[in-house]
Amino acid sequence: MRSFYIKGNNNKYVNQKIYKVLKSIYPALSQGNLNKVFRLKDVKVNGIRVPKDYTLQSDDFVEVYLTDDLLFGKHTDVSCIYEDDNILVAFKPARIASCNQSHNYTDSDIYFEKMVMDKFGDNIKICHRLDTNTEGLVIFSKNNLAHTEILNSFKEHLTEKKYIAFAYGKFSKVSDKLKAYLLKDNSSSIVKVFNTPVKHGEEIITEYTVLDYLKPYNVSILEVKLHTGKTHQIRAHLSFVGHPIIGDPKYSTNEINEKYNLAYQALVAYSYKFNFDKNSMLHYLNSKSLQLNKNEVIQKIAEKL
C-alpha cells in the first residue's frame, strides 16, 4: 500500500480526478491494473473507498492498495558505472523519479536517490535530476565538498552533458546549435519555448548531431549536447523546431506517439565530461570517461520501435 496527501489549495492535484492523478504519480502502473484497483475498490480517500471519477480536494489523504512492483515497476537493483571516495555515477531507469521533490509523496515512496542510498550508504547525495521518464546516468556525491563542487560545475556549465534522443522526422541539417528562450509554466508543469526573449524567460542552447536516420520509421537518432540545463529543455526545444522526441507524452502528440511501441520518451542521458579547475579536489575526474556505450543505448531503443 502507498499513500500521499493533497496538501494546500494550490496543490496541482486539487480539483483533479483521482484516476488521472494516479496515472501521473505512478506512470509505471498499467492501464489494466489501474482499472482493476478501482474495480476492486482498493483506493481510499480519507479512509473511504472512492470511484475513479472522484475529484480530489485540499487535505485529502489517499491510499492505494497495490504492491510496489505494480505501482513502480520492478526496479530492484542499482547499476553503478563509476565510484570513488567522492562520487558515484549510477543508471536511473525510466518510470522512477530521481528524488523526492514533491509533498505528494511519503518518505516510504520509491525514488532513485533513496534506492542508491539504501545500497551505497546514507552519505550519498544526488547532484542533479533527470525527468521521471528519462533514462540515464545520474551523478551522486559522497561528501559535502564534492557535492558543492559538482553543483557549481553544473551552474557554471563546466560539465558536458550528452544525450541520445530518437526524434520524429528528418532534420534539414546534420548538426546545429539551436538557441531559443524557455518559460516555465508552473501551473501546468510544462515549459514553453520562444524565438525571442520573453519576460521571466531564460535563454537555452541545445546542440545536436544526427547520427542516423531510420527512414522506415521516419525517426532521426541524435546525439544532443546541452549548453544550458533547464527544465525539459531537450524535449521542449526539439518539439519547438518540429521534431519532438518519440514517446514523449507532454511535448509530442498522440498521433505521432501511436506510431511507435514506446511507453515513455526515447531520451537517455548517456555521457558526462568534467572540466574542473586544476585546484579543485575533483580535478582528477577530468580524465575520466563517465558514459554508457553509445551503440548499446541506440540498439536498446531501436529494438522497441
Side-chain angles (χ1 to χ4, degrees), residues 16 26 36 59 111 129 134 148 188 196 223 230 249 257 266 280 296 299-302:
Q16 297 289 319
Y26 304 111
K36 183 178 179 180
D59 298 324
Y111 49 95
R129 288 182 289 162
T134 295
T148 300
S188 61
T196 56
E223 181 178 74
K230 305 302 179 184
N257 288 338
S280 168
E296 290 180 359
Q299 182 179 358
K300 181 182 175 183
I301 300 174

Side-chain angles (χ1 to χ4, degrees), residues 19 22 29-43 49-50 52 64-67 70:
Y19 187 89
L22 292 184
L29 179 59
S30 71
Q31 194 86 12
N33 284 321
L34 181 57
N35 290 329
K36 183 178 179 180
V37 77
F38 281 105
R39 189 170 65 252
L40 296 178
K41 299 182 178 180
D42 282 339
V43 179
R49 301 179 191 276
V50 297
K52 64 171 65 176
V64 185
Y65 290 85
L66 276 177
T67 58
L70 294 178

Side-chain angles (χ1 to χ4, degrees), residues 264-280:
Y264 47 85
Q265 60 258 17
L267 181 65
V268 179
Y270 91 95
S271 173
Y272 296 98
K273 184 177 180 181
F274 292 112
N275 187 26
F276 289 106
D277 183 83
K278 64 180 180 180
N279 296 318
S280 168

Side-chain angles (χ1 to χ4, degrees), residues 99-113:
C99 53
N100 190 355
Q101 289 283 319
S102 172
H103 295 303
N104 296 310
Y105 290 85
T106 67
D107 289 337
S108 62
D109 278 322
I110 294 176
Y111 49 95
F112 193 57
E113 183 180 27

Side-chain angles (χ1 to χ4, degrees), residues 190-204:
I190 64 171
V191 300
K192 297 178 181 178
V193 179
F194 302 86
N195 274 324
T196 56
V198 292
K199 186 177 181 181
H200 304 306
E202 300 176 284
E203 185 181 44
I204 55 172

Side-chain angles (χ1 to χ4, degrees), residues 81 137 164 268 270 291-299:
I81 73 149
L137 299 179
I164 295 296
V268 179
Y270 91 95
Q291 63 182 29
L292 300 170
N293 182 295
K294 184 191 299 187
N295 292 332
E296 290 180 359
V297 170
I298 292 171
Q299 182 179 358

Side-chain angles (χ1 to χ4, degrees), residues 117-272:
M117 289 172 64
D118 287 346
K119 183 171 182 177
F120 294 96
D122 291 342
N123 60 318
I124 295 290
K125 246 178 164 178
I126 197 166
C127 297
H128 62 110
R129 288 182 289 162
L130 296 179
D131 295 337
T132 297
N133 284 328
T134 295
E135 293 186 332
L137 299 179
V138 178
I139 301 170
F140 295 84
S141 62
K142 300 177 79 171
N143 56 67
N144 289 335
L145 286 176
H147 192 71
T148 300
E149 290 275 319
I150 293 171
L151 290 186
N152 185 66
S153 76
F154 282 117
K155 182 180 178 181
E156 301 298 326
H157 309 301
L158 300 176
T159 300
E160 180 184 271
K161 297 175 280 186
K162 289 184 178 180
Y163 294 70
I164 295 296
F166 279 48
Y168 185 71
K170 186 174 183 178
F171 285 69
S172 59
K173 296 181 179 179
V174 174
S175 63
D176 200 2
K177 186 184 288 187
L178 306 172
K179 296 182 180 181
Y181 297 86
L182 180 146
L183 181 65
K184 189 173 182 180
D185 183 350
N186 291 319
S187 64
S188 61
S189 298
I190 64 171
V191 300
K192 297 178 181 178
V193 179
F194 302 86
N195 274 324
T196 56
V198 292
K199 186 177 181 181
H200 304 306
E202 300 176 284
E203 185 181 44
I204 55 172
I205 302 174
T206 310
E207 184 177 353
Y208 74 84
T209 300
V210 178
L211 302 177
D212 198 2
Y213 174 64
L214 307 180
K215 188 174 181 180
Y217 300 99
N218 193 24
V219 166
S220 294
I221 303 174
L222 310 178
E223 181 178 74
V224 182
K225 178 179 176 181
L226 279 180
H227 292 266
T228 54
K230 305 302 179 184
T231 301
H232 299 176
Q233 178 179 324
I234 297 175
R235 298 164 61 190
H237 207 169
L238 289 178
S239 178
F240 179 70
V241 299
H243 297 284
I245 295 174
I246 61 173
D248 191 333
K250 285 191 174 182
Y251 299 100
S252 187
T253 65
N254 290 334
E255 182 182 2
I256 290 175
N257 288 338
E258 286 172 359
K259 299 175 187 291
Y260 308 98
N261 186 33
L262 294 175
Y264 47 85
Q265 60 258 17
L267 181 65
V268 179
Y270 91 95
S271 173
Y272 296 98

